[in-house]
Amino acid sequence: MRKVTIFGSTGSIGENTVDLIKRSPEAYDIVALTGGRNVKRLAEQAIELNADIAVTAFDACYTELKDALSGYDIEVAAGADAVAEVADRPSDWVMSAIVGAAGLVPGLAALKQGKTLALANKESLVTAGPILMGEAHRYQATVLPVDSEHSAVFQALVGEDIDAVERVIITASGGAFRDWPTKDLHKATVEDACTHPNWDMGQRITIDSASLFNKAMELIETKEFFGVRPDQIEAIVHPQSLIHALVGFNDGALMAHIGPHDMRHAIGYALHWPNRGHVPVERLDLAKIAQLDFRPADPIRYPALRLAREVMDAGGHAGAIFNAAKEAAMDAFIARNIGFTRMADVVDATLSTLSGEIGSCEDMSLDSVLAVDHLARKTAQEIIAAG
Ligand code: NAD
Ligand code: MG
């Protein structure tokens, strides 16, 4: 039986992971599940999967979780430290599916066991890619990408030589506003931004998809995960979201990965890796799909893509500043304190204000990343407050 821990089990990726695991209960022994404020669901999952421990990230939710699990032989804990501490419990396969920079510390802690980290939390690669990949190397842990585009690239690279790769193309649906005139984008509301044309995901990544901040993060994620140069990485709008990524080789071949809009594909690939196992996703009917469309990803319409290029070129702590400013800007957008297009302005201004903090990759440590993250959130909030 494989010992499994799921960070962020109550979220969209977490639920999809639980769904796959529940289909083969004899194969998995659940060590720990962690969640946030949805304590009812966390307790249900812990009972259903017979987890050893359930942890909520929020101290205030402890009593509710304890009550929900009273009478069951399941340990209960609360708080950010408790979430990171469960990473010390032996697990063969750990899913990192917390949303935001909060996923960084638990993911890093899990690498120390030298086992497998299935990485959905893209923010950890954006904020601290060199540290995460360095720790994976140090502890000889395997990191498997769970973002659909990166899982697609990973699959296209099986058996290939990374030196033969000329380019990596990741696709973007274009998000909720892909057919809106650019001049109307400033009017977009939170409700408008939360409707994704193709994928059913958590609220924050759905808003990031509408602004293409999600794609911007995925460009950075590609650089950090695969070690390719920024000029080798492209984004293209593909409204059907069926091709998730393409890898171009030095003989001109393009290997495309095509699959349904269902994160259980990428999760299932990571769960069964290095083999392929049955995954209950829709089988595509290509004749019915008939057509695949592509459009250039316009950096004027999508300033997040331009910012991602600046971050990749700058290196060092630029990713940590970018991500923290983006998270602060999104909080302000969700609270209706700023408009949709202001989010990119806030990130841009925060990067300019903190250009002296970027440093280089060699200057990076977990402490420096957390300090820069804190500073960037504060700076972004000041920029937002100044109007
Ligand atoms: P979600 O909002 O649905 O779920 C997030 C999970 O993290 C929940 O379990 C929540 O309780 C927990 N959480 C929230 N704040 C926390 C905190 N401060 N500390 C600890 N736990 C906390 O998010 P999601 O859509 O499942 O995305 C999870 C991660 O996977 C994100 O990094 C996202 O970018 C990435 N991702 C998601 C998808 C998708 O289809 N949803 C696709 C690719 C990548
Ligand atoms: Mg993705």
Side-chain angles (χ1 to χ4, degrees):
M1 268 178 132
R2 284 171 91 195
K3 289 183 175 293
V4 166
T5 286
I6 307 173
F7 288 107
S9 64
T10 55
S12 163
I13 293 286
E15 286 284 13
N16 278 308
T17 309
V18 167
D19 175 82
L20 291 181
I21 282 176
K22 266 178 18 195
R23 289 164 193 262
S24 311
E26 70 294 345
Y28 305 105
D29 173 13
I30 306 304
V31 176
L33 299 178
T34 85
R37 293 194 173 81
N38 191 351
V39 170
K40 186 168 169 279
R41 185 61 195 137
L42 179 61
E44 276 169 11
Q45 290 178 333
I47 294 165
E48 243 176 315
L49 297 177
N50 193 24
D52 297 346
I53 182 167
V55 187
T56 162
F58 303 106
D59 292 318
C61 298
Y62 176 77
T63 311
E64 193 188 340
L65 184 60
K66 183 95 190 140
D67 290 350
L69 289 174
S70 80
Y72 292 92
D73 186 18
I74 298 171
E75 283 177 66
V76 172
D81 291 345
V83 171
E85 276 162 25
V86 294
D88 297 338
R89 299 190 175 212
S91 288
D92 303 303
W93 192 89
V94 176
M95 166 55 79
S96 167
I98 289 173
V99 65
L104 173 61
V105 171
L108 279 175
L111 290 174
K112 293 192 175 141
Q113 294 194 31
K115 295 290 176 54
T116 299
L117 182 70
L119 187 68
N121 177 266
K122 61 188 77 184
E123 295 86 351
S124 26
L125 276 175
V126 173
T127 53
I131 298 176
L132 190 106
M133 297 312 277
E135 289 287 276
H137 184 73
R138 179 169 160 207
Y139 293 105
Q140 300 196 326
T142 302
V143 185
L144 297 172
V146 172
D147 216 342
S148 55
E149 296 75 4
H150 304 78
S151 174
V153 173
F154 191 89
Q155 293 179 50
L157 284 173
V158 171
E160 304 286 358
D161 178 1
I162 191 80
D163 292 334
V165 171
E166 273 183 356
R167 56 186 181 144
V168 175
I169 306 171
I170 60 172
T171 60
S173 68
F177 307 130
R178 67 181 175 210
D179 297 320
W180 282 37
T182 309
K183 67 173 178 39
D184 291 343
L185 288 179
H186 69 279
K187 293 188 226 156
T189 64
V190 176
E191 289 70 29
D192 294 329
C194 285
T195 319
H196 195 282
N198 300 335
W199 296 90
D200 178 14
M201 308 184 285
Q203 182 195 40
R204 298 185 76 92
I205 185 172
T206 304
I207 297 173
D208 274 341
S209 297
S211 60
L212 263 74
F213 264 114
N214 182 47
K215 213 45 55 182
M217 293 207 289
E218 290 178 358
L219 292 174
I220 304 168
E221 201 184 346
T222 305
K223 174 191 168 221
E224 300 297 344
F225 192 92
F226 298 103
V228 287
R229 295 187 316 271
D231 62 283
Q232 292 178 288
I233 311 169
E234 302 167 27
I236 188 160
V237 175
H238 167 43
Q240 291 93 352
S241 293
L242 292 172
I243 293 183
H244 303 303
L246 307 96
V247 178
F249 293 93
N250 56 10
D251 60 357
L254 268 180
M255 298 292 286
H257 178 283
I258 178 162
H261 322 124
D262 189 331
M263 285 309 293
R264 290 178 305 173
H265 175 74
I267 298 166
Y269 183 80
L271 194 57
H272 296 296
W273 184 90
N275 305 314
R276 283 192 186 266
H278 176 81
V279 178
V281 296
E282 180 199 349
R283 271 46 180 169
L284 294 180
D285 179 341
L286 294 178
K288 214 158 132 196
I289 292 162
Q291 186 177 331
L292 296 174
D293 299 305
F294 301 95
R295 304 177 198 163
D298 176 1
I300 307 286
R301 183 175 169 81
Y302 303 118
L305 297 180
R306 173 181 56 78
L307 293 170
R309 298 249 165 239
E310 290 174 17
V311 167
M312 287 192 288
D313 290 342
H317 295 91
I321 299 170
F322 171 86
N323 182 68
K326 189 215 63 135
E327 290 191 13
M330 191 191 295
D331 290 341
F333 174 63
I334 292 172
R336 291 160 167 78
N337 291 337
I338 61 171
F340 180 74
T341 48
R342 266 279 280 154
M343 285 191 285
D345 297 338
V346 169
V347 176
D348 200 352
T350 308
L351 278 164
S352 303
T353 308
L354 297 183
S355 59
E357 305 292 330
I358 290 173
S360 70
C361 185
E362 290 71 42
D363 304 326
M364 289 175 83
S365 64
L366 179 58
D367 284 347
S368 72
V369 167
L370 296 177
V372 165
D373 175 281
H374 181 76
L375 178 64
R377 278 171 210 271
K378 196 164 144 273
T379 306
Q381 281 155 3
E382 284 163 7
I383 290 167
I384 291 164

